[in-house]
Amino acid sequence: MISFENAKKIVFDSVHIRTAEKVDFMDGMGRILAENIFSDQNIPPFDKSAMDGYACKKADLDNILEVVENISAGDKPRMKINKNQCSKIMTGSVIPEGADIVVMVENTEKVDQNHIKCFGNNSKYNICVLGEDCKTGDIVLKSGTLLEPRHIGVLATVGATSPLVYKKPSIGVFVTGSELVEPNMIPEYSHIRNSNAYTILAMLKDNFFEASYFGIVPDKKEMLKEKIIENIENNDVLIMSGAVSMGDYDFIPDILKEIGADILFHGMYVKPGKRMLFATYSDKYIFGLPGNPVSTYIQMQELVIPFLLKSCGLKSKENYLFVNSRKMK
């Protein structure tokens, strides 16, 4: 039996950061960057209008202005703005040479077909300057960033369509207990529905992990041993619930010793989750969670999910706390 703080240290010190791979940026949701992402251009790449309005010279605002052209987004201005001239301009369009302000449409009125007059408060310039957001070569996303929808847009903006991200572990999940039945069944006397597996699977999914579910394994040692061996042969991480306490049918600790797994701790001075087990087998990881549903949830939250995120390149506890706060909003 060890302290919870020591247990956390053992779990997190056991992490080996996974190797990286290139993915299509639209498959990047929930992945963690393994590289810094740099901007390949100035953003914006030109001085552009922040408003629908008229581009002109600030010095001419009190005068009647001649409209010399209309500039739509994507168009290249053809006319230079001279004294007492302006161009009608749409949001996102290139500012024509000679203009230093964009007056909002709302602050103008037509004098005739080709002339306007400005009025109201025109103290804002309404121009987004070249490189205002970032410059060529600037880091726009740091290695270790957990990619969310807002980051996918940043990747698209800078043309990073094949980012390098950390690989995810393959995860196997099963629960133990001869008293368990699946949720779609009506329990007979002395049986209960299996909730722990679905709590585990939902928490994994909520943190962008996929897992293979191997069902309910009854309290039979040979069946449990077979299922454990199958899982650790085919997965990087095994998560089990039940059969880790001190009862006559809690076979998992003995099975792990028999197959040569290294049990790093079995039991913590903490409630709930006192009898949790953590082991390694070669380069595989094994979490044995107690059968109590609250214990399973708490230790998934405190140890298993942070371990998995760290193995995928999440840099710090603060980043993990950010992930969770995002979900609670």
Side-chain angles (χ1 to χ4, degrees), residues 143-246:
S143 177
T145 298
L146 176 70
L147 294 176
E148 300 180 82
R150 59 201 173 102
H151 302 120
I152 302 301
V154 174
L155 293 173
T157 298
V158 300
T161 56
S162 298
L164 187 69
V165 298
Y166 290 102
K167 292 181 179 179
K168 290 200 169 186
S170 56
I171 303 171
V173 174
F174 70 79
V175 296
T176 68
S178 297
E179 78 281 13
L180 298 176
V181 298
E182 294 292 15
N184 60 344
M185 300 177 65
I186 298 176
E188 297 178 358
Y189 181 75
S190 80
H191 288 72
I192 59 173
R193 287 191 175 99
N194 164 28
S195 64
N196 282 0
Y198 299 97
T199 297
I200 292 168
L201 293 169
M203 293 179 77
L204 292 171
K205 184 176 181 180
D206 196 38
N207 286 275
F208 308 106
F209 292 104
E210 296 179 0
S212 299
Y213 175 49
F214 293 90
I216 299 167
V217 183
D219 294 318
K220 298 183 183 297
K221 186 174 181 180
E222 287 308 311
M223 293 182 69
L224 270 172
K225 187 174 183 178
E226 180 181 337
K227 189 63 68 175
I228 288 172
I229 291 172
E230 176 189 355
N231 269 271
I232 59 177
E233 285 180 348
N234 294 291
N235 292 291
D236 301 308
V237 179
L238 169 59
I239 304 172
M240 305 173 286
S241 175
V244 293
S245 191
M246 304 296 288

Side-chain angles (χ1 to χ4, degrees), residues 95-107:
I95 299 296
E97 183 183 352
D100 58 14
I101 191 171
V102 174
V103 179
M104 294 188 297
V105 171
E106 299 91 320
N107 287 355

Side-chain angles (χ1 to χ4, degrees), residues 23-265:
V23 298
D24 184 273
F25 76 116
M26 283 304 295
D27 296 324
M29 275 291 296
R31 305 296 292 271
I32 296 169
L33 283 175
E35 63 177 348
N36 291 330
I37 301 296
F38 300 90
S39 180
D40 66 342
Q41 62 177 340
N42 295 312
I43 301 175
F46 46 81
D47 292 346
K48 69 175 185 177
S49 177
M51 297 286 177
D52 294 333
Y54 292 87
C56 60
K57 295 179 180 292
K58 189 173 179 63
D60 296 337
L61 288 183
D62 293 333
N63 306 329
I64 293 175
L65 304 178
E66 177 190 6
V67 182
V68 296
E69 69 173 329
N70 285 3
I71 307 172
S72 298
D75 287 348
K76 183 177 181 180
R78 295 177 291 106
M79 306 293 292
K80 179 181 178 180
I81 301 302
N82 295 308
K83 184 174 177 58
N84 293 333
Q85 290 182 333
C86 67
S87 290
K88 191 172 186 181
I89 193 167
M90 304 300 119
T91 302
S93 300
V94 178
I95 299 296
E97 183 183 352
D100 58 14
I101 191 171
V102 174
V103 179
M104 294 188 297
V105 171
E106 299 91 320
N107 287 355
T108 65
E109 61 182 17
K110 280 189 175 184
V111 175
D112 57 38
Q113 190 65 27
N114 297 314
H115 294 84
I116 64 156
K117 173 75 175 172
C118 302
F119 63 88
N121 180 4
N122 291 307
S123 58
K124 293 184 177 179
Y125 285 83
N126 299 319
I127 294 175
C128 300
V129 179
L130 180 147
E132 179 179 292
D133 295 333
C134 67
K135 293 181 171 54
T136 302
D138 283 355
I139 295 175
V140 293
L141 292 174
K142 290 185 177 180
S143 177
T145 298
L146 176 70
L147 294 176
E148 300 180 82
R150 59 201 173 102
H151 302 120
I152 302 301
V154 174
L155 293 173
T157 298
V158 300
T161 56
S162 298
L164 187 69
V165 298
Y166 290 102
K167 292 181 179 179
K168 290 200 169 186
S170 56
I171 303 171
V173 174
F174 70 79
V175 296
T176 68
S178 297
E179 78 281 13
L180 298 176
V181 298
E182 294 292 15
N184 60 344
M185 300 177 65
I186 298 176
E188 297 178 358
Y189 181 75
S190 80
H191 288 72
I192 59 173
R193 287 191 175 99
N194 164 28
S195 64
N196 282 0
Y198 299 97
T199 297
I200 292 168
L201 293 169
M203 293 179 77
L204 292 171
K205 184 176 181 180
D206 196 38
N207 286 275
F208 308 106
F209 292 104
E210 296 179 0
S212 299
Y213 175 49
F214 293 90
I216 299 167
V217 183
D219 294 318
K220 298 183 183 297
K221 186 174 181 180
E222 287 308 311
M223 293 182 69
L224 270 172
K225 187 174 183 178
E226 180 181 337
K227 189 63 68 175
I228 288 172
I229 291 172
E230 176 189 355
N231 269 271
I232 59 177
E233 285 180 348
N234 294 291
N235 292 291
D236 301 308
V237 179
L238 169 59
I239 304 172
M240 305 173 286
S241 175
V244 293
S245 191
M246 304 296 288
D248 292 345
Y249 297 96
D250 292 323
F251 297 122
I252 286 176
D254 287 340
I255 292 171
L256 293 178
K257 291 175 185 176
E258 288 175 13
I259 66 173
D262 184 11
I263 299 176
L264 301 183
F265 67 81

Side-chain angles (χ1 to χ4, degrees), residues 2-15 264-265 267-268 270 276 278 287 298-299 301-304 306-307 310 317 320-321:
I2 63 174
S3 72
F4 183 57
E5 289 304 316
N6 281 343
K8 284 200 294 186
K9 187 176 189 307
I10 289 171
V11 169
F12 298 145
D13 285 352
S14 299
V15 171
L264 301 183
F265 67 81
M268 306 177 290
V270 66
M276 180 177 167
F278 176 62
F287 290 92
I298 293 296
Q299 298 312 328
Q301 182 77 6
E302 292 297 318
L303 293 179
V304 181
F307 168 89
K310 185 176 180 182
K317 182 179 179 182
Y320 176 62
L321 292 174

